[in-house]
Amino acid sequence: MKKNIAVLAGDGIGPEVMNEAIKVLDKVALKFGHEFEYTEALIGGAAYDEHGEHLPESTLKVCGGADAVLFGSVGGPVDAQDDPKWKGCEKTAILGIRRHFSFNINLRPSIVFEALTDISPLKKSLIGDGFDIMIIRELTGGIYFGKHETSDENGVRVARDEMRYDENEVRAIAKVAFDIAKTRGGKLISVDKANVLDCSILWRKVMEEASADYGDVALEHMYIDNAAMQLVKNPRSFDTVVTGNMFGDILSDLSSVFAGSLGVLGSASLNADGFGMYEPSGGSAPDIAGRGIANPIAQILSAAMMLKYSFGMQDEYDAVYDAVSQTLADGVRTGDICSAEMKAVGTSEMGDEIASRV
Ligand code: NAD
């Protein structure tokens, strides 16, 4: 298969970890007989230096002409956010690209590899031999996008936020969620608050209707409060989770800490046409940028997600995932996931080790 990939490495550790993702993609291409063509474009502070803006039209054009977008990270040091180069950088670049391509679905995996159970904040007895949960969040609807209003009613300040979903929005994410659940453990948990909210009652009905087309996926419903508790108490009982914007925001951040480091988690944003952008869950990590010590696994797993969800390459995804898992099991670690008695490797060596196991 021939695929054109837009590569937006961005700022901070972005270019360093992106090199390693491309190294692994090249190995996949070689092993499986694919041809990946990479078109690089500037974004974030790197684009500002060249074009005076964080998301130039030329970058959107490169992305629009590609089969998928592989994104690194953007943004400068936290104490330099007022510098014109960094001011509003993350917001302009990321929200801008999401809006431009109407990315309305967010995939946030929460993976604890067996070899990394010791760095997870969860107890070993809860983790067992590790787990792999996929949280699918609706991204452009719900209460964050409803009408917001603060008023004065007889001298009392009152605030209102409107939550709205229509059945088409829910049906669209239901389809993606069932399709993804089918390629995983075949179990989909839909999270809502249907004991209180009309939006959730509709959400639940539409999920039920959609399940009729997916006899091979077991659908379960769970209230958000219970889901938050169960994710911590019994994470291994989850496989694929689908939920609305606000609940997904909270659950995906909650479960991102289970891995023990931001350096190992990928993510994706998809639109209704299946076009996707893939990026690490963490940011540009200015505190360690340029030192060759960042963990490239998040970027490598983001690239693997691109293979699976944009190109339909399940075997290739599995090959990368297994290579990461095996590398960790063999005791190869970057500093963020290393224990005191282990010797940390650098970004490039970690990339070499993973590529060699693909
Ligand atoms: P961050 O995620 O960049 O860093 C948080 C901590 O995690 C740091 O200690 C960092 O060293 C560590 N870390 C992150 N990724 C790592 C990796 N691959 N390997 C090893 N350690 C890793 O968050 P922050 O410090 O709050 O933000 C820094 C900049 O990143 C800001 O400018 C912010 O706006 C931007 N940001 C960008 C994105 C994005 O591009 N999607 C997301 C979040 C933050």
Side-chain angles (χ1 to χ4, degrees):
M1 235 185 246
K2 190 172 171 183
K3 294 288 175 191
N4 185 347
I5 301 163
V7 173
L8 315 185
D11 305 314
I13 60 169
E16 301 167 48
V17 292
M18 187 64 83
N19 280 342
E20 305 315 308
I22 288 177
K23 196 183 273 178
V24 171
L25 285 173
D26 284 343
K27 182 69 188 293
V28 168
L30 191 69
K31 181 171 167 159
F32 291 88
H34 300 305
E35 197 181 325
F36 297 141
E37 208 173 86
Y38 311 105
T39 312
E40 290 182 23
L42 297 172
I43 194 158
Y48 189 90
D49 284 342
E50 190 82 12
H51 302 275
E53 52 183 323
H54 294 122
L55 181 59
E57 194 55 41
S58 53
T59 295
L60 291 172
K61 209 166 156 211
V62 166
C63 296
D67 295 306
V69 180
L70 190 57
F71 186 101
S73 52
V74 291
V78 177
D79 58 4
Q81 297 296 323
D82 286 334
D83 183 324
K85 176 173 172 178
W86 301 120
K87 201 173 169 79
C89 174
E90 185 188 346
K91 199 170 156 202
T92 316
I94 295 180
L95 294 187
I97 205 165
R98 277 189 184 161
R99 203 174 306 121
H100 184 84
F101 290 106
S102 307
F103 289 130
N104 59 344
I105 293 169
N106 196 214
L107 309 186
R108 289 278 299 269
S110 169
I111 302 171
V112 176
F113 288 100
E114 187 174 7
L116 294 187
T117 52
D118 51 329
I119 62 160
S120 173
L122 291 179
K123 277 186 196 153
K124 179 111 181 65
S125 58
L126 299 178
I127 303 170
D129 53 5
F131 56 79
D132 176 346
I133 302 168
M134 174 64 83
I135 298 189
I136 303 169
R137 166 188 171 194
E138 198 286 326
L139 207 54
T140 53
I143 198 163
Y144 294 166
F145 287 83
K147 198 167 139 198
H148 307 291
E149 185 180 86
T150 303
S151 59
D152 186 301
E153 291 179 10
N154 304 322
V156 177
R157 286 170 298 163
V158 178
R160 287 188 184 81
D161 300 282
E162 181 192 49
M163 185 172 190
R164 178 191 180 280
Y165 270 114
D166 71 47
E167 59 179 310
N168 294 326
E169 288 171 290
V170 184
R171 205 170 288 123
I173 191 164
K175 181 173 179 337
V176 173
F178 277 101
D179 283 340
I180 289 178
K182 213 163 85 166
T183 69
R184 294 172 42 90
K187 180 178 166 189
L188 180 64
I189 295 183
S190 171
V191 172
D192 61 36
K193 190 70 181 168
N195 49 346
V196 179
L197 302 173
D198 271 37
C199 281
S200 287
I201 294 170
L202 176 67
W203 179 280
R204 199 174 268 225
K205 276 191 188 139
V206 176
M207 285 291 157
E208 282 293 339
E209 288 159 13
S211 79
D213 294 331
Y214 294 88
D216 43 0
V217 176
L219 174 68
E220 225 182 88
H221 303 281
M222 202 177 271
Y223 296 136
I224 174 65
D225 39 355
N226 187 30
M229 249 188 330
Q230 296 304 326
L231 266 169
V232 175
K233 275 172 62 183
N234 196 7
R236 280 179 293 159
S237 66
F238 289 81
D239 177 59
T240 308
V241 176
V242 62
T243 188
N245 202 345
M246 180 168 61
F247 300 154
D249 187 10
I250 298 165
L251 287 189
S252 57
D253 268 18
L254 167 80
S255 35
S256 72
V257 302
F258 298 162
S261 168
L262 277 174
V264 295
L265 294 176
S267 78
S269 300
L270 308 176
N271 69 18
D273 302 324
F275 184 65
M277 177 167 96
Y278 299 83
E279 58 176 312
S281 285
S284 58
D287 54 333
I288 57 166
R291 291 163 56 194
I293 58 170
N295 190 340
I297 291 179
Q299 190 76 60
I300 289 169
L301 289 178
S302 301
M305 288 173 73
M306 175 183 72
L307 297 175
K308 175 168 169 174
Y309 297 114
S310 277
F311 306 159
M313 298 177 178
Q314 176 75 51
D315 291 346
E316 292 81 341
Y317 170 87
D318 290 342
V320 177
Y321 186 99
D322 292 346
V324 168
S325 185
Q326 192 54 53
T327 303
L328 295 172
D330 292 341
V332 184
R333 306 284 163 87
T334 43
D336 57 315
I337 52 174
C338 204
S339 59
E341 59 278 6
M342 286 173 154
K343 187 175 168 299
V345 300
T347 310
S348 172
E349 197 179 339
M350 183 56 118
D352 288 341
E353 295 281 351
I354 294 169
S356 72
R357 288 169 176 82
V358 168

